[in-house]
Amino acid sequence: MNQKRKGKMHSILKGLAVLLFWLAVWALIAHVVNKELIFPVPQEVVKRFFIIIFTAEFWQITFASLLRILVGFTCGMVAGILLAMLMHANRFAEALLAPLIKVVRATPVVSFIILALFWIVASSLPIFISFLMVLPVAWANTLSGIENTDRHLLEMASLYKVKKLRIWQKIYYPSLKPYLLAAINSGLGLAWKSGITAEVIAAPRMAIGSQLQAAKVNLESADTFVWTVVVVVLSIILEKLITALINRRQMRSLSEEKS
Amino acid sequence: MTIVIDKLSISFEGKQVLKDFSFSLPASGVVCIFGPSGCGKTVLFKCLSGLIKPDSGEISGLKSKRLSMVFQENRLLPWCNAVDNVALVVNENRELARAALTKMELTSETNKLPAEMSGGMQRRVAIARAIVYDGDLLLLDEPTTGLDAELADRIMKILIKSWQSRLVLLITHELTIAKKYADIIYTVEGPPLQIKNVSE
């Protein structure tokens, strides 16, 4: 127990040292550049950060962006998984849809944002863009997971006439788990980046991206830094939260299995 | 009703494993196919179980039958404990699964994952899964692999007893097991698989 606490303390101290090092690098660059407008000093950004986060508007904006991106991410994951299942079951569907998904994957996100601006209202655009970026990731990972499921287990289940739903539940789903986790991890990062980019371009009301754009227009580089830090911190928190949730679920199902 | 295999031909992984192979099986009893590895016995089993489609020929008398099988490999779900592995084939009926595991002398291992069990224990879980399933035909592909002679003998007795008045088709390369438990013994050579009744 003591050893564990020591290890935790050690990693916190290490993290702090790394943070201090990069803050020093930042301060040094700001000192060399010596232009607040181009590269603000860390103290100014920290000051603005504490001013911004203690406003009610900050929380409304952050919540609105978070909600949009989470909706897009969830829809993208669900659609990607369902498409992969459909394409695995039906070769015609695979032939029909695979090229479309590959095109979506290869197209730059900015092209979609500009195109979609004609079709979708600004506030829904980040949802659509996050959805579009996550879908191919979820699709590709699910399909790999299905294709790498142990054939021997599937043969055994088919010989014993195990019901289709139970085969999905007992064989496919556990095999798919690591692939889905990988999709969640990379999909979440993509959803954030593309969603915020869409907000910068579409500038909906109450959005982190719009705040970034406004800070740029008003030449408030400290605010641009603050909102960027917010995006990075939220992205890390969200990723950790989802990983912790999945791990908790895994632990629970393992203990249920044991009992 | 007997099972009749008529002029079956199968090429598997570039090899002609069965060529115009004909053979019939009784409605009940223990039929043993005894022969060296690699001669095509397992391919014949996979064909009987419908896991491989033949290139030509046909099998009659099998369509309406429910098959149970102990595969050459254990084929256990690594993320499920012993009870859940067995219960999978009986609509998640854990009571039946536990009873089958008890027959296999695995009462205290029911909650263990395959990775927490020895090879012999895993084999017995696979056998428990086969006997708990209410089938008409039991295919056993080297069922006693990984079991010591004494335990193998006990398990075989239980297996044969639990499948009484139904058909058991057994593949083995252990002559003692074949002689002790089979009503009919065929020796095989190949590929392509050739069969000879040596029961007399």
Side-chain angles (χ1 to χ4, degrees):
Chain A
M1 192 67 188
N2 220 0
Q3 197 73 15
K4 210 174 166 183
R5 197 178 291 167
K6 251 186 195 172
K8 210 171 177 182
M9 201 69 189
H10 179 77
S11 73
I12 290 173
L13 283 174
K14 207 169 91 180
L16 269 173
V18 170
L19 184 71
L20 281 174
F21 170 79
W22 286 112
L23 276 173
V25 171
W26 177 0
L28 188 73
I29 296 172
H31 180 73
V32 172
V33 174
N34 201 21
K35 271 185 188 149
E36 193 78 346
L37 196 67
I38 297 172
F39 209 89
V41 291
Q43 305 91 290
E44 179 59 22
V45 174
V46 172
K47 202 176 97 190
R48 285 294 302 152
F49 179 78
F50 283 108
I51 292 171
I52 291 173
I53 66 161
F54 286 116
T55 60
E57 203 191 8
F58 168 82
W59 295 104
Q60 287 165 354
I61 289 169
T62 306
F63 180 73
S65 283
L66 199 66
L67 191 69
R68 276 187 210 107
I69 287 157
L70 275 181
V71 169
F73 167 78
T74 311
C75 293
M77 281 299 296
V78 171
I81 292 168
L82 290 178
L83 269 180
M85 285 164 73
L86 173 75
M87 284 156 87
H88 170 71
N90 187 321
R91 292 287 139 189
F92 178 69
E94 189 190 359
L96 198 72
L97 296 168
L100 185 72
I101 296 177
K102 282 175 187 160
V103 167
V104 172
R105 220 170 169 182
T107 308
V109 61
V110 177
S111 308
F112 278 123
I113 296 172
I114 293 167
L115 269 173
L117 263 173
F118 294 112
W119 317 322
I120 298 168
V121 290
S123 59
S124 301
L125 188 75
I127 299 175
F128 177 67
I129 294 300
S130 301
F131 162 82
L132 218 53
M133 293 298 110
V134 172
L135 186 138
V137 177
W139 165 78
N141 280 41
T142 310
L143 209 57
S144 302
I146 292 174
E147 278 163 9
N148 286 315
T149 301
D150 191 340
R151 298 288 118 189
H152 277 171
L153 296 181
L154 294 172
E155 279 180 2
M156 177 274 294
S158 120
L159 181 110
Y160 284 113
K161 301 195 186 328
V162 179
K163 286 177 187 148
K164 279 248 157 50
L165 189 68
R166 193 152 286 142
I167 292 179
W168 272 101
Q169 185 193 354
K170 292 276 182 173
I171 301 177
Y172 279 118
Y173 175 62
S175 311
L176 275 173
K177 256 188 198 170
Y179 294 88
L180 291 179
L181 269 180
I184 288 172
N185 271 334
S186 48
L188 205 55
L190 264 176
W192 259 108
K193 283 178 207 151
S194 56
I196 298 292
T197 310
E199 283 183 351
V200 169
I201 297 174
R205 230 172 55 81
M206 294 283 174
I208 293 177
S210 311
Q211 295 302 311
L212 270 167
Q213 175 72 342
K216 185 209 132 201
V217 170
N218 300 328
L219 303 174
E220 288 162 341
S221 44
D223 285 15
T224 314
F225 270 65
V226 169
W227 285 109
T228 308
V229 168
V230 169
V231 171
V232 172
V233 170
L234 276 177
S235 173
I236 293 170
I237 291 174
L238 217 62
E239 193 191 308
K240 295 245 183 246
L241 254 172
I242 288 190
T243 313
L245 258 172
I246 292 167
N247 285 343
R248 228 178 84 182
R249 230 185 100 85
Q250 261 175 333
M251 291 296 284
R252 200 189 306 150
S253 63
L254 207 69
S255 62
E256 274 170 14
E257 212 70 77
K258 286 253 174 196
S259 65
Chain B
M1 187 183 162
T2 56
I3 296 164
V4 179
I5 299 167
D6 187 28
K7 290 187 176 172
L8 215 61
S9 291
I10 301 171
S11 292
F12 189 67
E13 291 172 351
K15 249 195 252 172
Q16 180 85 53
V17 184
L18 299 185
K19 194 178 173 191
D20 289 332
F21 182 80
S22 296
F23 177 51
S24 66
L25 290 163
S28 63
V30 181
V31 176
C32 176
I33 296 178
F34 174 78
S37 337
C39 66
K41 305 184 300 275
T42 299
V43 171
L44 173 67
F45 258 35
K46 284 190 172 176
C47 189
L48 283 170
S49 60
L51 298 175
I52 297 179
K53 294 267 170 281
D55 302 330
S56 62
E58 62 177 52
I59 304 171
S60 56
L62 201 59
K63 261 188 189 148
S64 56
K65 287 192 162 47
R66 280 160 62 90
L67 267 60
S68 185
M69 183 168 178
V70 175
F71 295 87
Q72 208 168 37
E73 322 80 18
N74 295 321
R75 304 198 181 193
L76 301 177
L77 308 181
W79 41 79
C80 286
N81 62 25
V83 177
D84 285 348
N85 261 292
V86 177
L88 177 77
V89 303
V90 280
N91 257 327
E92 302 299 320
N93 187 329
R94 290 176 177 218
E95 287 316 303
L96 279 178
R98 278 205 178 88
L101 286 166
T102 305
K103 274 188 191 169
M104 288 294 117
E105 304 175 18
L106 289 169
T107 315
S108 52
E109 325 294 333
T110 51
N111 289 334
K112 283 188 179 165
L113 294 173
E116 296 167 334
M117 289 187 271
S118 68
M121 287 174 181
Q122 290 181 27
R123 195 66 183 150
R124 281 181 281 156
V125 175
I127 295 172
R129 183 179 61 197
I131 60 169
V132 81
Y133 186 71
D134 186 28
D136 307 298
L137 167 61
L138 176 62
L139 303 172
L140 302 172
D141 194 350
E142 305 285 3
T144 53
T145 306
L147 306 180
D148 62 65
E150 209 178 298
L151 183 61
D153 192 45
R154 285 206 303 274
I155 297 297
M156 278 306 295
K157 268 186 198 147
I158 297 164
L159 249 173
I160 304 298
K161 197 180 161 199
S162 64
W163 219 260
Q164 255 175 357
S165 72
R166 289 175 284 180
L167 178 61
V168 178
L169 191 54
L170 165 72
I171 283 180
T172 185
H173 60 253
E174 286 179 59
L175 193 58
T176 45
I177 291 214
K179 276 183 173 170
K180 192 164 181 183
Y181 295 103
D183 302 317
I184 306 167
I185 303 176
Y186 288 98
T187 57
V188 284
E189 283 174 1
L193 197 73
Q194 284 162 29
I195 200 157
K196 195 172 152 195
N197 189 334
V198 290
S199 307
E200 300 81 38

